[in-house]
Amino acid sequence: MALTASQSKSMYQFFALAFNAAPGVTYMNQLDAALNSGMSVTQVVEAFTAKAEFTSTYPNFLSNQAFATKFINSNVGSYASDAAKTAAIADVTAALNAGWSRGKAITQVFTNINGLSETDATWGTFVKVINNEVAYAQYYTE
């Protein structure tokens, strides 16, 4: 069964954020199989964030604050203000400190991105970059 448009977009966003890459056919087949087996998007993201490909960039030993800082800074770069990045780091850190998994926090990040416009005063440039990365990843993979 084919992924829904929403599931497909979520998987491309996840790979763009977590790996700065397109999933390619091999990983997209794994993502498709996992989602079609009944796993939720969050469960799939949680499974992939346990893989060495993720933990080699974001090691398990990083504190919640260190993970959030590295994740936000490596993704957002100069596409948002320092104040916006500081707020995002605080939000991710708070979620992790409240018991969220890294996978759940990442899923929430791309859920939040989906709720924003490319014209958003704070995050619009970053949203546009992610949208472009998703379009490229989809083109490359499919």
Side-chain angles (χ1 to χ4, degrees):
M1 184 163 91
L3 297 179
T4 67
S6 175
Q7 288 172 320
S8 179
K9 182 178 181 181
S10 292
M11 294 299 94
Y12 288 121
Q13 286 174 319
F14 167 58
F15 258 73
L17 292 168
F19 303 107
N20 193 29
V25 173
T26 299
Y27 285 118
M28 200 59 174
N29 278 332
Q30 291 176 16
L31 297 166
D32 175 71
L35 288 166
N36 280 311
S37 76
M39 291 176 75
S40 70
V41 168
T42 301
Q43 289 170 324
V44 171
V45 171
E46 287 175 337
F48 269 76
T49 56
K51 292 180 176 269
E53 294 84 354
F54 182 82
T55 60
S56 65
T57 301
Y58 301 103
N60 291 329
F61 62 77
L62 290 178
S63 69
N64 291 340
Q65 173 81 30
F67 168 79
T69 301
K70 185 173 184 177
F71 182 77
I72 296 299
N73 285 333
S74 67
N75 278 289
V76 178
S78 63
Y79 300 120
S81 69
D82 287 342
K85 289 189 290 187
T86 298
I89 290 166
D91 288 346
V92 172
T93 302
L96 295 170
N97 287 342
W100 285 27
S101 67
R102 290 179 179 182
K104 184 175 180 180
I106 292 169
T107 303
Q108 188 61 52
V109 168
F110 62 75
T111 299
N112 292 349
I113 291 168
N114 288 335
L116 298 172
S117 157
E118 291 183 4
T119 60
D120 182 83
T122 303
W123 292 103
T125 302
F126 179 63
V127 170
K128 184 174 184 171
V129 167
I130 290 297
N131 288 344
N132 287 338
E133 287 181 12
V134 167
Y136 170 78
Q138 185 171 10
Y139 176 79
Y140 172 81
T141 301
E142 295 177 12

